Amino acid sequence: MKDVTPLTDGWSLRHGQRLLPAKVPGCVHTDLLAAGLIPDPFLDRNETEVAWVGRRAWSYVTALSHDSGHERTDLVFEGLDTAARITLDGREVGSTRNMHRVHRFDVTGAAGELEVRFTSAYDEAEAVRAVTGDRPNVYPEPFQYIRKMASSFGWDWGPTLVTAGIWRPVRLEHWSTARISSVRPQVTVDEGAGSVEVRLRVERTERGAGRSLSASATVAGEHAEAHFDGDEVVLRLTVDEPRLWWPRGYGDQPLYDLDVTLSDGDGQLDVWHRRIGFRTVELDRTADERGSGFTLVVNGERIFARGVNWIPDDVFPSRVTPERYRTRLSQAADANVDLVRIWGGGIYEDDAFYDVCDELGLMVWQDFLFACASYPEEQPLRGEVEAEARDNVVRLMPHPSLVLWNGNNENLWGFRDWDWEPELAGDSWGEGYYLGLLPRLVAELDPTRPYTAGSPWSGSWDHHPNDPDHGTHHSWEVWNRQDYAEYRANVPRFVAEFGWQAPPAMATLRRALTDEELAPDSPGMLHHQKAEDGNGKLDRGVARHFALPTGDFDRWHYLTQVVQARAVAAGIEHWRSHWPTCAGTVVWQLNDCWPVSSWAAIDGDGRPKPLHHELRRVYADRLLTLQPAEEGLVLALVNQSATEWRTTVSLRRMEADGTTLGRSSQDVVVAPRSVLRLPAPTGLVPEQHTTKEFVTADADGLRALHFPVPDKQFSYVRPDYDVSLEPVAGDDGKVDVVVNARTLVRDLLLQADRLGPTARADRGLVTLLAGEQARIRVDGCGSVSTDDVRAALFCVDTP
């Protein structure tokens, strides 16, 4: 039987003449940080103080003893970041130039000092650029010349911290005769029967060549076995009426253990284990009168995808533990998310990420790792790209949560719109990957899943890559240049990226900016704002709706949070109300990799912004929304649940002082998985530019609001409300903040982290009419007073 020896202990990092203790998995930055040799690059402006780290060569060393009595010993690196030369007892055993691959080297009989020497990623990239020639990209960094996490080189939400190190586990594998090289389980469902086709590949020793082997597989009580003499064998199992795996909100997520065993006449040689799920997935791109759609269909059920984009959760990804994955993805599920898109400038995440998605019912859209650049298709990159794709398709295909492979992020769009074509002058730029190599590999290795060439992508060059009427669309003009109301200008078939920025929580800012008086343009705030003209766009977004605060950072911070939540909600409410024409929204973005002003719903310290709570509302199975339309005002009831929605909708036309000018109520029935759009009664629609009236719609505890003018033009009365505290019985760590409104209170927000860095509130923005009450449960705040709570409460004030 194969023996495995983890190599996690005993490593050192060579730093000049010193050997520093090194953590494996880890990276140079984290080891230097642990040794006290660099400041924390996440704090203040320390990022610039450690830029030198990414431009140096580094070596990791440890001692290896002689192997066991097996015929073969392999040194296996699950991830090396990135260009490395590996020597054992002074003899080179191999080299690498790809962070995203597993590397295996035969070290049978060898012992002594094991050294992994990392070349600077900059030096490697420049060496490749010298071979392939120059290519355009969106950032002045050479990330497209090295198969490494692109966002290590900085992004419009991330720091430039170019890493090196043994970032995933390393081990010795001792084996004889043969070992399992790869397993590809193709899982299908047809007419109630589940099929698992297990394609097994083995590697043999010299003495094992030609020897008869047996392979067996078991799943759900079914068993298959085969004898073979070559290097490949196929095992087929049939499971009658398996329980189907469903996305969250559509059903359960049953998982089945699939076990594969390799044996010879003397006993077991190797084993392989994964969990699988039975389900079908299709991508409906059928043409219609509006263009061509982009609808995920799981188990025959057409789905409006409620998605978020995912970036690496730490710029040092070796620090992301299985527990951290579970926390972050549970936060996504708590926001009623059912799809997570892994963006192409990051990494193929650890299996622990996909395991949690399998369990929570979070569909995964997986980008191949190409983003915002033209990529050379020549060697040495082409061979690395193919090997990387093969590695990761085979590794990830057992996961039922994985529903879509995507060729790249924005590169097809960039070729057409970002002036790349003249600069390329006929050079390769990645099209051959996205429209040739990658779809061919997916068809060969994982034919049960759909593939799309890019995001955005209209399906062919017959249409603009970002045509909203065809395929996937990225909506960035609104954030960059317009008011968020412009999200309502069109109905794309699938919105794969859109978003709005806001700063992180106050407690996160105070931790990250240690010695600074906070202001929107203070040095630390500007350093932790990586977007081009990011603060200018934040200010303009606020100024379109509110008087822009001057000299009041707390107010500015609150209003940027409000605008972020409102902006994203405006897009989702509009697009969801047009299902099935629009079949999904994927918010940019769920998470951050460090403390920064960004589009994230959860900041770099893991604290939810108000946007996170707003996502929970607008991504709920049932949504009530009021949508401006040419004919006046449309009431839309979105029912994504599996059951009919019978309810009574109450509409009120009101004045700012709380006077009701008109009211109506209507009994409605909304079929499952459908949208009902109704015109609001003419008498309940305010004049287009009135500053004194608004409309509210209520049904089953849901509320929709429509204000005809921006807040700065509306005649608010000064908000007035009472605050009281009620301890939660049986739990000393929780308290209910009870707010009773005497007037209209718009977008009330309790910033719980102002009460204590570990405090969390169970809701975000809430609007109260006069006489209404809100109950906000706070956990982890310790002992607080009413005055403390009032200081942490904000709402829209009079202009």
Side-chain angles (χ1 to χ4, degrees):
M1 183 67 177
K2 180 176 73 177
D3 294 325
V4 177
T5 305
L7 297 178
T8 54
D9 299 326
W11 287 91
S12 299
L13 172 65
R14 204 184 299 279
H15 179 53
Q17 300 302 309
R18 300 172 59 186
L19 287 178
L20 306 176
K23 184 176 181 180
V24 172
C27 73
V28 172
H29 287 83
T30 53
D31 289 332
L32 294 174
L33 189 60
L37 295 176
I38 60 171
D40 187 340
F42 284 17
L43 302 184
D44 303 312
R45 289 176 284 172
N46 293 341
E47 173 198 353
T48 59
E49 301 299 315
V50 301
W52 60 273
V53 175
R55 295 188 176 274
R56 280 191 49 178
W58 298 93
S59 289
Y60 282 81
V61 295
T62 192
L64 283 191
S65 58
H66 285 287
D67 63 11
S68 66
H70 281 281
E71 296 175 55
R72 173 88 170 261
T73 296
D74 289 344
L75 175 63
V76 183
F77 293 95
E78 291 187 21
L80 290 174
D81 176 17
T82 294
R85 178 171 174 261
I86 298 97
T87 60
L88 181 55
D89 197 26
R91 178 179 65 88
E92 182 170 343
V93 298
S95 62
T96 72
R97 61 194 329 156
N98 193 325
M99 178 181 183
H100 309 299
R101 288 182 57 190
V102 174
H103 293 91
R104 178 181 293 268
F105 305 104
D106 183 352
V107 294
T108 306
E113 183 181 75
L114 173 63
E115 182 173 15
V116 184
R117 301 176 187 173
F118 290 98
T119 300
S120 160
Y122 283 104
D123 291 346
E124 167 69 10
E126 293 305 331
V128 172
R129 193 200 316 239
V131 172
T132 65
D134 204 17
R135 301 292 194 282
N137 74 8
V138 297
Y139 296 111
E141 294 282 343
F143 59 84
Q144 74 262 52
Y145 306 103
I146 182 171
R147 296 310 297 159
K148 173 179 172 60
M149 185 172 91
S151 55
S152 287
F153 291 90
W155 220 261
D156 55 6
W157 36 257
T160 302
L161 294 168
V162 181
T163 51
I166 305 171
W167 78 287
R168 278 185 167 158
V170 55
R171 63 185 180 272
L172 290 174
E173 291 188 1
H174 313 282
W175 55 282
S176 300
T177 305
R179 70 173 186 91
I180 295 174
S181 175
S182 68
V183 178
R184 291 194 293 117
Q186 295 181 14
V187 182
T188 57
V189 182
D190 186 33
E191 296 183 351
S195 296
V196 184
E197 184 178 275
V198 179
R199 294 185 172 270
L200 174 68
R201 180 185 290 271
V202 303
E203 182 183 9
R204 295 171 179 264
T205 63
E206 185 176 347
R207 279 187 284 173
R211 188 166 181 173
S212 180
L213 302 174
S214 66
S216 65
T218 60
V219 65
E222 301 297 328
H223 182 80
E225 189 168 352
H227 298 274
F228 64 105
D229 297 323
D231 295 334
E232 295 185 48
V233 67
V234 179
L235 301 166
R236 294 180 173 86
L237 303 100
T238 300
V239 179
D240 290 332
E241 298 185 353
R243 296 175 61 216
L244 297 182
W245 184 97
W246 287 94
R248 65 169 305 280
Y250 288 82
D252 296 331
Q253 293 78 43
L255 299 171
Y256 292 83
D257 291 315
L258 174 61
D259 292 286
V260 177
T261 302
L262 178 68
S263 304
D264 66 0
D266 297 328
Q268 286 188 359
L269 298 173
D270 203 354
V271 295
W272 179 97
H273 169 81
R274 296 290 188 278
R275 294 184 303 175
I276 63 170
F278 291 93
R279 56 101 183 97
T280 64
V281 58
E282 305 164 80
L283 182 60
D284 185 355
R285 292 182 261 204
T286 304
D288 56 27
E289 68 281 0
R290 290 289 305 272
S292 48
F294 192 92
T295 305
L296 285 165
V297 184
V298 179
N299 299 328
E301 187 78 60
R302 300 173 68 80
I303 290 174
F304 182 98
R306 295 168 279 189
V308 288
N309 282 274
W310 172 277
I311 66 170
D313 205 51
D314 197 315
V315 75
F316 306 131
S318 59
R319 297 200 297 200
V320 182
T321 62
E323 294 76 21
R324 184 160 158 184
Y325 277 132
R326 187 170 296 278
T327 295
R328 202 68 69 243
L329 291 168
S330 294
Q331 288 174 310
D334 184 56
N336 290 316
V337 166
D338 60 20
L339 180 142
V340 179
R341 175 191 170 209
I342 300 178
W343 168 76
I347 59 175
Y348 304 97
E349 298 289 344
D350 189 81
D351 273 298
F353 175 98
Y354 306 89
D355 287 341
V356 176
C357 290
D358 292 342
E359 295 167 13
L360 295 180
L362 294 171
M363 296 179 289
V364 175
W365 161 332
Q366 176 69 60
D367 280 15
F368 288 100
L369 301 185
F370 304 90
C372 300
S374 53
Y375 284 79
E377 296 175 36
E378 293 80 23
Q379 299 292 9
L381 291 176
R382 186 177 182 86
E384 289 295 338
V385 165
E386 178 164 356
E388 166 193 317
R390 287 184 176 276
D391 263 15
N392 287 285
V393 170
V394 171
R395 175 172 72 91
L396 299 180
M397 62 185 292
H399 293 282
S401 57
L402 179 58
V403 298
L404 182 68
W405 293 105
N406 175 51
N408 75 88
N409 176 76
E410 298 190 343
N411 296 342
L412 295 161
W413 181 21
F415 178 77
R416 178 58 52 87
D417 274 6
W418 300 346
D419 297 323
W420 290 358
E421 197 166 358
E423 187 175 343
L424 285 165
D427 287 340
S428 67
W429 56 275
E431 182 183 27
Y433 294 146
Y434 319 135
L435 298 179
L437 175 66
L438 295 174
R440 174 174 61 80
L441 290 179
V442 171
E444 172 196 340
L445 299 171
D446 190 17
T448 68
R449 285 183 180 86
Y451 169 87
T452 184
S455 184
W457 179 234
S458 59
S460 78
W461 287 115
D462 294 338
H463 307 286
H464 187 280
N466 200 29
D467 187 334
D469 292 330
H470 297 271
T472 50
H473 178 70
H474 288 195
S475 179
W476 283 117
E477 282 299 296
V478 174
W479 156 252
N480 284 320
R481 296 175 180 86
Q482 300 170 339
D483 181 50
Y484 61 73
E486 294 303 312
Y487 283 131
R488 304 188 186 105
N490 59 21
V491 183
R493 308 311 301 264
F494 192 107
V495 187
E497 280 191 21
F498 79 106
W500 205 275
Q501 272 203 355
M506 283 297 296
T508 301
L509 287 174
R510 291 192 181 107
R511 186 191 71 81
L513 306 178
T514 59
D515 187 23
E516 180 171 299
E517 183 176 348
L518 295 178
D521 60 351
S522 60
M525 284 293 295
L526 291 178
H527 186 80
H528 289 250
Q529 165 61 277
K530 296 297 186 178
E532 181 181 1
D533 190 29
N535 271 22
K537 294 170 185 177
L538 281 174
D539 285 349
R540 290 190 290 275
V542 170
R544 292 184 186 107
H545 294 266
F546 304 95
L548 187 64
T550 56
D552 186 347
F553 181 77
D554 288 346
R555 192 75 191 163
W556 179 86
H557 181 270
Y558 161 73
L559 291 176
T560 56
Q561 304 284 336
V562 169
V563 172
Q564 181 190 39
R566 283 195 196 176
V568 172
I572 293 174
E573 290 188 35
H574 167 64
W575 293 319
R576 281 193 75 185
S577 76
H578 286 278
W579 160 262
T581 301
C582 180
T585 56
V586 189
V587 176
W588 189 270
Q589 64 217 61
L590 174 68
N591 59 326
D592 270 327
C593 64
W594 77 312
V596 64
S597 292
S598 84
W599 298 265
I602 300 166
D603 75 19
D605 281 6
R607 293 186 175 92
K609 298 180 187 177
L611 172 59
H612 178 266
H613 297 281
E614 194 70 354
L615 286 177
R616 186 190 304 151
R617 180 184 71 83
V618 295
Y619 271 166
D621 280 351
R622 290 175 175 173
L623 173 67
L624 191 66
T625 180
L626 288 165
Q627 293 293 312
E630 289 184 7
E631 62 272 26
L633 199 59
V634 169
L635 172 68
L637 293 95
V638 180
N639 181 22
Q640 205 163 342
S641 73
T643 58
E644 187 178 76
W645 185 13
R646 291 180 173 270
T647 189
T648 300
V649 181
S650 171
L651 278 163
R652 284 177 287 176
R653 178 180 174 186
M654 305 185 71
E655 287 193 332
D657 65 3
T659 302
T660 298
L661 300 175
R663 114 179 20 242
S664 74
S665 97
Q666 184 174 357
D667 294 333
V668 297
V669 179
V670 191
R673 319 290 193 204
S674 70
V675 176
L676 179 65
R677 293 173 62 91
L678 300 169
T682 304
L684 295 182
V685 179
E687 294 293 329
Q688 189 173 4
H689 299 296
T690 178
T691 64
K692 297 181 178 180
E693 298 176 13
F694 67 101
V695 180
T696 176
D698 294 276
D700 292 347
L702 305 180
R703 169 166 287 168
L705 295 164
H706 170 68
F707 286 76
V709 295
D711 296 74
K712 64 184 180 182
Q713 298 173 17
F714 192 73
S715 301
Y716 286 107
V717 298
R718 183 166 296 281
D720 187 15
Y721 53 87
D722 293 326
V723 179
S724 61
L725 304 181
E726 295 181 6
V728 177
D731 195 330
D732 293 338
K734 296 180 180 179
V735 63
D736 281 348
V737 175
V738 182
V739 179
N740 288 287
R742 293 197 181 94
T743 64
L744 170 66
V745 180
R746 182 96 189 268
D747 284 334
L748 180 74
L749 175 66
L750 174 61
Q751 294 191 358
D753 60 289
R754 290 175 179 266
L755 303 176
T758 64
R760 297 285 192 273
D762 69 347
R763 63 192 303 179
L765 300 171
V766 57
T767 292
L768 300 175
L769 305 181
E772 292 184 337
Q773 181 186 92
R775 184 175 292 267
I776 307 168
R777 180 154 294 181
V778 182
D779 188 13
C781 63
S783 178
V784 294
S785 68
T786 303
D787 288 342
D788 296 330
V789 171
R790 275 197 170 272
L793 278 168
F794 296 82
C795 69
V796 172
D797 211 332
T798 51

